[in-house]
Amino acid sequence: MPLSLKALLQEEAFLFTFELVPGRSVRTRHYQEILRFLEESAKLKIFQAFSITDNAGGHPALSPIPLGRTIKEFGLEPIIHFSCKDKNRNQIESELLALDREGLHNLLVLTGDYPFYGYLGKAKPVFDLDSVLLLKMITDMERGIELPKGAPGGGVSLPGIPFFKGAVVNPFKLSLSELWWQYLKLYKKLRAGAYFIITQVGFYPRKWLELKNLLELGITKIFSQLLKDETLYDEKSDEAFRKIPLLGSVLYLTPPLLKALKRGRIPGIFLTKDLLKRLETASSFQEGALEIVARLTSVLKGLGYKGVHLCGFPLDYDLINAFLDKVALYEESWEESFEELGGIAHLELSQKTYQREIPCLLKDGLELRFERRWSPFYFFNEAIHRLFFNRRHFLYPYLKRVAEFFERHPRLKGYFTSFEYLIKKFFFNCQECGDCTLWEFNYTCPQSGCAKYLLNGPCGGSLAGFCEVYPFAKRCHFVKAMERTPSRAQLKKFIKPDRDFYLPPRDWALYKSSSWLNFYLDRDHHKA
């Protein structure tokens, strides 16, 4: 009987995991090739686990569940990619229950790619939960969720489910703002219960070292030093996070994939000058691609990572064996590969060639360049917020009574709500969610500013500070929120040290109701 993923991650051996993309149908030649590959894998025992993508690239595809079941039947260990897209929180829970029924408990939790197209047009983007909230939900299911009393069969706790869930982080970013948010979201994912971490694909090994150092030094300790606030330091959490296994993703390149990456068309992934130079000087493209993945894998092993996650690899064991031979060849000299694979990003955009040094938060000591920004818009809204939406202000009890008055008079409440949204639509492009989080994001609205409506940190798909859905056209909502921060001390609000570490999901019961009234009547996320 094969070891479980949990047991494998506790072993000392370096792991090789393999990513499978199931495609659109079980009736295609591609799917039959996957089955043959798995049959061969069961005999060779080279890979310790196989992950299965969930509508990769925003394209409709076969659910990971059938292939996960097949992998188990071959006596292999499956990892189900479980994304937040394409399903609301009820469907998410339903699918998690189905995974439990099938015995598929290894999950890689991620935000997911924005829908690219769908039947008769582009599909509606459904990001009801973000990856932090999804991890928390699964953690609650592990303990046993207590059903609400108003639900059918409510008032009882369900049996716990033994999920083993991991998360993703993207340390390969082209601005410190993006990098800050990735590490902050990693902290939230760890707090939410992630048991292992797999990195996004990248080609600059120093970023793997930075991520490892971040956890070894202590992520809350780093935050406390960056923000010069000792109250953020949590020694107990840092000690727990040091034990989290890390795996690095390595991508096998093909000519079409290289072309797309050079143009910045794959969310969150870019190439480097040194990598392109190696491909140009290689005896063949395939030889160059093999050398790159082998060198990167040897670096991961040398840095002390728990394993490598192979992405985009052909289902060809001749090629895989050649790759393994090269890994063995470069293992002893992995430091050379670490130094030779430099950190200058290279993108060939329609207007110009874009090159930039990849920033490191910990390269030469702690670094978080912060420029104080004076914004009349921010300070005006901050003054309004402190005056009218501060429970400690002397006006609060009087304004609460006004809110209770409007609540008792539906017609006046309707006029008041229309007035509120007229103002907020003009200034913030308000989407009438009824639970305003403008203060939490420095007066930028996540419901209109983020294409995925995320609340607890950005997805991994931003590139050079731009949204993955609108590359080099629209700035990432979270980057804009950080850039509006007037002082370094104000960055602490994003960590949420005084309350829960997360913002709760949007409550659709409040849609089109007054967020101002909901604040005073304790119906929004501020309620105790």
Side-chain angles (χ1 to χ4, degrees):
M1 184 175 179
L3 289 175
S4 67
L5 179 63
K6 182 178 181 179
L8 287 166
L9 290 172
Q10 292 170 348
E11 296 278 308
E12 291 186 6
F14 185 79
L15 302 184
F16 288 84
T17 62
F18 194 97
E19 184 177 271
L20 296 170
V21 183
R24 295 291 290 269
S25 171
V26 298
R27 304 177 188 276
T28 60
R29 187 175 69 176
H30 172 67
Y31 192 80
Q32 300 308 312
E33 289 173 351
I34 289 176
L35 296 182
R36 285 192 290 272
F37 180 74
L38 289 172
E39 186 176 8
E40 195 172 0
S41 298
K43 299 173 185 175
L44 296 175
K45 306 290 186 184
I46 290 174
F47 297 106
Q48 286 74 49
F50 295 83
S51 76
I52 313 160
T53 59
D54 179 12
N55 289 9
H59 309 294
L62 178 71
S63 163
I65 294 178
L67 189 54
R69 189 190 305 121
T70 301
I71 290 172
K72 282 198 71 175
E73 290 169 356
F74 277 117
L76 303 169
E77 191 72 356
I79 304 172
I80 304 297
H81 288 210
F82 200 99
S83 72
C84 301
K85 67 169 187 280
D86 301 337
K87 40 194 176 273
N88 69 11
R89 67 196 77 177
N90 288 358
Q91 180 61 26
I92 284 173
E93 185 173 347
S94 177
E95 197 165 311
L96 287 167
L97 294 172
L99 287 166
D100 178 43
R101 175 64 183 84
E102 298 294 340
L104 300 171
H105 294 124
N106 300 324
L107 306 176
L108 182 62
V109 174
L110 25 75
T111 300
D113 296 317
Y114 196 83
F116 186 71
Y117 68 92
Y119 174 69
L120 296 180
K122 183 174 283 191
K124 180 180 180 179
V126 184
F127 293 90
D128 195 25
L129 301 180
D130 58 38
S131 53
V132 172
L133 293 169
L134 178 50
L135 283 163
K136 184 184 181 302
M137 179 183 186
I138 299 170
T139 297
D140 289 342
M141 293 180 76
E142 289 174 55
R143 296 169 182 155
I145 287 180
E146 183 176 341
L147 296 178
K149 291 184 178 179
V156 300
S157 294
L158 296 174
I161 300 173
F163 286 120
F164 187 71
K165 58 195 182 299
V168 177
V169 64
N170 188 352
F172 302 96
K173 290 296 175 183
L174 294 178
S175 71
L176 282 171
S177 295
E178 293 172 281
L179 190 56
W180 155 265
W181 272 112
Q182 282 299 310
Y183 291 149
L184 177 52
K185 193 172 184 182
L186 171 64
Y187 163 72
K188 294 183 178 186
K189 289 176 178 179
L190 294 172
R191 285 282 307 272
Y195 296 126
F196 63 94
I197 298 295
I198 298 181
T199 72
Q200 171 66 288
V201 165
F203 300 98
Y204 183 32
R206 187 172 292 277
K207 300 302 297 179
W208 284 325
L209 176 61
E210 177 178 73
L211 175 61
K212 193 168 188 296
N213 286 342
L214 182 77
L215 294 180
E216 288 180 349
L217 292 170
I219 192 167
T220 70
K221 185 177 182 180
I222 296 298
F223 287 156
S224 70
Q225 292 181 36
L226 285 172
L227 301 187
K228 299 177 173 57
D229 186 342
E230 286 298 321
T231 64
L232 297 176
Y233 179 38
D234 183 346
E235 186 177 4
K236 187 176 179 181
S237 291
D238 283 348
E239 185 60 34
F241 298 158
R242 286 187 186 99
K243 300 173 184 176
I244 298 294
L246 295 175
L247 291 88
S249 291
V250 171
L251 179 65
Y252 178 84
L253 294 169
T254 62
L257 187 57
L258 181 75
K259 185 177 180 180
L261 285 168
K262 285 170 76 172
R263 296 181 180 180
R265 291 182 177 175
I266 298 181
I269 307 177
F270 54 83
L271 302 171
T272 64
K273 284 180 64 178
D274 287 345
L275 178 140
L276 290 170
K277 185 177 180 180
R278 285 186 177 277
L279 285 174
E280 290 168 1
T281 57
S283 57
S284 68
F285 189 95
Q286 184 182 89
E287 186 66 22
L290 272 179
E291 181 186 340
I292 288 165
V293 291
R295 283 182 177 274
L296 290 172
T297 301
S298 71
V299 169
L300 284 168
K301 198 169 183 179
L303 288 174
Y305 269 61
K306 188 59 200 171
V308 62
H309 186 59
L310 297 177
C311 306
F313 231 93
L315 306 175
D316 180 351
Y317 266 106
D318 288 338
L319 200 63
I320 290 167
N321 285 324
F323 155 72
L324 293 173
D325 289 342
K326 284 184 176 291
V327 172
L329 180 66
Y330 294 128
E331 273 185 40
E332 295 298 322
S333 57
W334 68 268
E335 293 98 335
E336 293 179 14
S337 298
F338 180 87
E339 295 296 337
E340 290 172 6
L341 293 167
I344 302 295
H346 180 94
L347 293 166
E348 296 178 4
L349 308 178
S350 56
Q351 303 295 327
K352 62 177 181 178
T353 297
Y354 177 97
Q355 292 187 348
R356 179 186 289 185
E357 185 176 356
I358 303 168
C360 288
L361 199 67
L362 310 177
K363 187 174 182 180
D364 299 308
L366 299 178
E367 178 187 18
L368 181 61
R369 288 191 298 272
F370 183 83
E371 297 177 10
R372 180 181 173 88
R373 295 172 176 85
W374 174 263
S375 167
F377 182 80
Y378 173 88
F379 285 102
F380 172 77
N381 282 290
E382 184 73 2
I384 295 294
H385 180 85
R386 291 181 180 183
L387 181 63
F388 293 107
F389 301 102
N390 181 359
R391 283 186 164 88
R392 298 173 183 172
H393 198 279
F394 78 92
L395 284 177
Y396 175 77
Y398 303 103
L399 293 172
K400 184 177 178 68
R401 291 176 195 168
V402 173
E404 291 168 345
F405 170 79
F406 279 114
E407 185 68 12
R408 292 194 298 269
H409 298 82
R411 180 173 292 183
L412 289 176
K413 184 171 98 170
Y415 293 146
F416 182 82
T417 302
S418 297
F419 171 71
E420 173 191 340
Y421 285 125
L422 179 67
I423 294 172
K424 288 164 67 177
K425 183 70 176 178
F426 179 78
F427 286 104
F428 310 107
N429 192 21
C430 176
Q431 301 300 298
E432 305 178 22
C433 72
D435 187 359
C436 194
T437 54
L438 283 171
W439 177 82
E440 282 83 356
F441 297 105
N442 290 334
Y443 309 103
T444 60
C445 174
Q447 300 299 325
S448 60
C450 176
K452 298 180 181 179
Y453 324 114
L454 304 180
L455 293 172
N456 290 291
C459 65
S462 67
L463 190 58
F466 289 90
C467 173
E468 75 164 62
V469 184
Y470 308 100
F472 295 96
K474 182 179 178 180
R475 300 279 285 170
C476 169
H477 161 73
F478 289 89
V479 169
K480 288 197 297 183
M482 185 172 179
E483 289 176 347
R484 281 191 178 184
T485 307
S487 69
R488 187 184 291 261
Q490 289 280 358
L491 292 174
K492 193 168 90 169
K493 74 162 67 170
F494 298 131
I495 303 177
K496 291 180 64 63
D498 300 324
R499 297 194 61 190
D500 293 321
F501 61 89
Y502 62 90
L503 277 170
R506 176 174 173 177
D507 184 352
W508 284 87
L510 303 179
Y511 183 43
K512 287 188 176 292
S513 64
S514 167
S515 64
W516 293 348
L517 295 183
N518 290 334
F519 169 79
Y520 287 105
L521 298 173
D522 294 321
R523 291 193 291 233
D524 67 358
H525 70 279
H526 296 96
K527 63 179 178 285

